[in-house]
Amino acid sequence: MSEATTLASEAAQSIAAATGVEHHDIALILGSGWGGAAELIGEEVASVPAAEIPGFSGHVVAGHHATLRSLRTEDGRHVLVLGARQHFYQVRDAGKVAHAVRTAAATGCSTLVVTNGCGSTRPEVGPGSVVLIEDHLNLTGATPLEGATFVDMTQAYSPRLRDLALSIDASLPGGVYAQFTGPQYETPAEVRMAKTLGADLVGMSTTLEVIAAREAGLEVLGLSLVTNLGAGIGGETLNHQEVLDAGAAAGPRISRLLADIVEAMR
């Protein structure tokens, strides 16, 4: 057993002890703007400070929460909400970024819903839009995998789950997400490059988590909230407060959408 797997197993055991829930079914990573969904998905069984769980840190970025929450849906499923998201720009360690996902798999989760706030390279898909992630470009130069670990990424984002999401809201556009390292925002030239490579969305999270999820056998649904047009697309300068404001404005609507999608995952 690898060191990463051992740490994830220890974390899962700690979560089970702290929450009283031996098995979770669905894991959620709630990015900027998505936090309110937890209140609509189910009853909170327990909330645990992330720093109390092996491998997690209490240090988070504005707009995120340093807690792990266990929810119970009306039909008895258990949902693990992974707070204290580790971004690559915080730790420069893909293994640490992947720890939450590996822990979710160790708790029994078979499905991961990963969300984020991001920039758009398409002017017609502006702030407030929700996009189904169809594929990604990992532009970080990093991976959470080690050694000869050959993971198929052909259908990294589950077509079945995308169809399920479209059954809830048929107007959701699809798109390709490109992850840069951050924490600086992308330059206009970098956004043009990403668009040329096929990216509809640019951000600083998600792809490393999804790689780890596919290694663990999790089925993945990815949802992006467009918080701004990418640099050079909208003509405005970028700042983190803009991301927070856009997330707050869209919060109730996208939280309801995500809760409805999770409910349909029966």
Side-chain angles (χ1 to χ4, degrees):
M1 184 178 292
S2 70
E3 183 178 342
T5 302
T6 299
L7 184 60
S9 178
E10 292 174 355
Q13 292 170 19
S14 294
I15 290 171
T19 63
V21 178
E22 291 296 325
H23 178 94
H24 284 84
D25 303 291
I26 299 170
L28 301 181
I29 299 178
L30 300 180
S32 298
W34 295 92
E39 312 305 325
L40 303 175
I41 287 171
E43 174 190 3
E44 183 176 289
V45 176
S47 178
V48 184
E52 296 181 5
I53 304 299
F56 285 85
S57 169
H59 172 66
V60 294
V61 178
H64 298 263
H65 303 282
T67 57
L68 304 177
R69 302 175 68 186
S70 179
L71 311 176
R72 183 170 52 241
T73 65
E74 287 187 358
D75 61 353
R77 291 170 299 155
H78 290 96
V79 178
L80 181 63
V81 181
L82 297 164
R85 185 182 214 168
Q86 290 289 320
H87 293 78
F88 187 64
Y89 58 74
Q90 291 174 277
V91 292
R92 299 296 176 186
D93 184 329
K96 289 182 179 179
V97 173
H99 176 62
V101 170
R102 289 171 169 156
T103 296
T107 69
C109 291
S110 59
T111 303
L112 171 69
V113 181
V114 59
T115 67
N116 59 57
C118 66
S120 172
T121 70
R122 295 162 54 186
E124 73 277 15
V125 183
S129 302
V130 174
V131 181
L132 279 172
I133 304 178
E134 298 176 333
D135 205 345
H136 73 225
L137 295 168
N138 174 15
L139 302 181
T140 68
T143 176
L145 308 181
E146 296 182 6
T149 306
F150 305 116
V151 176
D152 179 28
M153 299 295 290
T154 306
Q155 295 184 343
Y157 299 87
S158 167
R160 183 186 75 85
L161 292 181
R162 293 205 307 273
D163 287 345
L164 184 148
L166 288 169
S167 74
I168 303 298
D169 184 349
S171 70
L172 293 173
V176 174
Y177 179 93
Q179 181 179 352
F180 287 81
T181 60
Q184 71 282 350
Y185 285 107
E186 304 79 21
T187 67
E190 288 168 339
V191 171
R192 290 196 302 272
M193 176 192 73
K195 186 173 183 178
T196 299
L197 292 174
D200 305 288
L201 310 165
V202 292
M204 305 175 193
S205 67
T206 302
T207 72
L208 300 177
E209 294 159 328
V210 172
I211 292 169
R214 296 305 298 142
E215 177 194 22
L218 298 181
E219 191 175 16
V220 178
L221 175 67
L223 294 163
S224 289
L225 169 67
V226 175
T227 57
N228 57 274
L229 294 176
I233 302 294
E236 302 293 332
T237 57
L238 304 179
N239 63 79
H240 190 57
Q241 188 59 48
E242 178 185 47
V243 173
L244 297 179
D245 291 345
R253 173 174 52 85
I254 65 175
S255 294
R256 182 71 267 168
L257 170 65
L258 181 53
D260 288 346
I261 291 171
V262 171
E263 182 180 4
M265 290 178 177
R266 295 181 176 177

